[in-house]
Amino acid sequence: MAVGLVLGAGGLHAAAQHAGVLAALAEATGWDARTSEVVVGTSAGATTAVELRAGLSATDLHAYYTHGETSAEGQALLDRVTTPLDLGPRGGDAAGRPTGRPANPMLVLRDLASTKRPRPVVALSGLLPEGPHDGSSLGIRTTELHPDPWPDRPTWICAVDLDDGSRVVLGRDDVDAGIGPAVQASTAVPGWFRPVEVDGRRLVDGGVHSTTNADLVATLGLDLVVVSSSKTAVAPGGRGTPGPGTLARAWHSRTLRREVEAIRRRGAEVLVLQPTAGDLAARTGDDRSDVDLPAVCEAARASTLARISLPEAAAARRLLAAAATDHR
């Protein structure tokens, strides 16, 4: 039974949500996310992808974000990480805000001249100056957790080339990257972090292209794709545009809907797990704040347990249970 996993962007809130989602799926079906045939990670989702590939279980991820007790195996993995997380500014003004010229204004012209679907976030990333914050400690911590250059099993980390606006899929494309710099690049939010040079390319956050990038798995012949998306939202009654949230959340939801349709056209089942109104209520700060993480993680766990129990999730539930049996 081939199951793919897509982990979306959204800062610390997304990381906590992914932990709650995956813990709930393990609880309800026995499925271990570490056994995924392929994991696609974008920004915060890239960090979770590497945590899974390093061997951290969903149960231990949930314990980490809710300040619970991790297993001995999980704690041994977490203890590998010794570098402090320091994302402070190394430039900009006194408040750490970016200064200087736009990083690449040509991206606006490329978007205007393109006959494809508009990508306003890509254009915006070119208008913003290079961010003053340094994400190198995140890259180092990732390498400490996963010392091997790349996971053995397919792990696709999404970034965007700041020079031409194209999506770069590290771990799939012909780009020479270690796992630490790949995650650092995938999380390099334009205007906040400095771009990361990887194999001669200036890379920024993969969420600039799509907060989920779920379309990457459409042609892989998977039986089921599980999508944990933090920047979208459940619509009232499950249809239409999302209720709680912003215009950006509605845009990202529309993008995800197109990606899911592309996967389903190829015959795969898709289980989308995204914030409900209750989940969003647990998020009182912005997605860089760690204050709400236990509440965000537990809300995601509860809403996922409710979602997976619905009749329309029966096929996904059955496939996850079958995949769990395959790996016992």
Side-chain angles (χ1 to χ4, degrees), residues 3-4 10 24 43 54 68 118 136 146-147 180 190 200 228 252 261 270 274 278 307 327-328:
V3 180
S43 199
S136 59
H146 195 290
S228 178
H252 298 319
E261 288 169 356
V270 184
Q274 55 191 330
R307 173 77 176 86
H327 287 93
R328 280 179 190 152

Side-chain angles (χ1 to χ4, degrees), residues 280-299:
L280 293 176
R283 307 180 183 192
T284 60
D286 67 32
D287 60 20
R288 295 191 297 268
S289 170
D290 62 2
V291 174
D292 299 325
L293 299 189
V296 171
C297 184
E298 193 53 34

Side-chain angles (χ1 to χ4, degrees), residues 33 37 58 66 84 171 177 191 211 224 247 266 272 312:
E37 294 297 320
T66 58
T211 61
L224 170 67
L247 180 61
R266 298 281 184 153
V272 177
E312 54 264 37

Side-chain angles (χ1 to χ4, degrees), residues 227-259:
V227 180
S228 178
S229 172
S230 181
K231 298 294 281 184
T232 57
V234 173
R239 296 181 179 277
T241 57
T246 63
L247 180 61
R249 196 172 290 277
W251 175 270
H252 298 319
S253 296
R254 184 183 178 192
T255 299
L256 175 58
R257 192 161 56 249
R258 292 184 179 201
E259 293 172 352

Side-chain angles (χ1 to χ4, degrees), residues 42-306:
T42 301
S43 199
T47 65
T48 304
V50 175
E51 287 164 347
L52 292 170
R53 291 312 200 199
L56 274 173
S57 69
T59 302
D60 280 333
L61 281 172
H62 176 267
Y64 175 79
Y65 282 102
T66 58
H67 308 310
E69 184 174 350
T70 58
S71 68
E73 177 191 32
Q75 192 59 51
L77 290 169
L78 293 171
D79 287 344
R80 291 178 180 175
V81 181
T82 59
T83 299
L85 184 63
D86 179 9
L87 304 179
R90 301 291 184 269
D93 62 16
R97 292 184 291 260
T99 58
R101 294 174 298 179
N104 183 9
M106 287 299 295
L107 291 183
V108 178
L109 297 179
R110 284 176 180 269
D111 195 52
L112 290 173
S114 175
T115 58
K116 299 179 181 178
R117 182 172 177 245
R119 295 192 298 158
V121 184
V122 174
L124 177 61
S125 70
L127 289 177
L128 293 171
E130 291 190 3
H133 292 258
D134 179 15
S136 59
S137 65
L138 177 59
I140 294 169
R141 287 166 63 89
T142 301
T143 301
E144 289 173 342
L145 179 63
H146 195 290
D148 294 333
W150 204 267
D152 292 333
R153 307 192 73 176
T155 307
W156 295 352
I157 305 300
C158 300
V160 166
D161 190 321
L162 190 55
D163 293 321
D164 63 14
S166 64
R167 177 170 61 187
V168 179
V169 185
L170 301 163
R172 187 202 69 169
D173 296 349
D174 186 18
V175 180
D176 185 12
I179 196 66
V183 170
Q184 183 186 344
S186 186
T187 58
V189 179
W192 181 259
F193 286 113
R194 290 201 298 265
V196 179
E197 185 167 327
V198 174
D199 203 15
R201 308 176 77 161
R202 285 193 306 162
L203 301 184
V204 294
D205 195 318
V208 167
H209 179 89
S210 163
T211 61
T212 42
N213 291 290
D215 60 300
L216 290 172
V217 304
T219 61
L220 299 184
L222 300 167
D223 297 296
L224 170 67
V225 177
V226 175
V227 180
S228 178
S229 172
S230 181
K231 298 294 281 184
T232 57
V234 173
R239 296 181 179 277
T241 57
T246 63
L247 180 61
R249 196 172 290 277
W251 175 270
H252 298 319
S253 296
R254 184 183 178 192
T255 299
L256 175 58
R257 192 161 56 249
R258 292 184 179 201
E259 293 172 352
V260 169
E261 288 169 356
I263 299 170
R264 286 180 172 148
R265 281 197 299 270
R266 298 281 184 153
E269 186 72 27
V270 184
L271 176 64
V272 177
L273 300 159
Q274 55 191 330
T276 63
D279 290 322
L280 293 176
R283 307 180 183 192
T284 60
D286 67 32
D287 60 20
R288 295 191 297 268
S289 170
D290 62 2
V291 174
D292 299 325
L293 299 189
V296 171
C297 184
E298 193 53 34
R301 174 182 165 274
S303 64
T304 299
L305 287 173

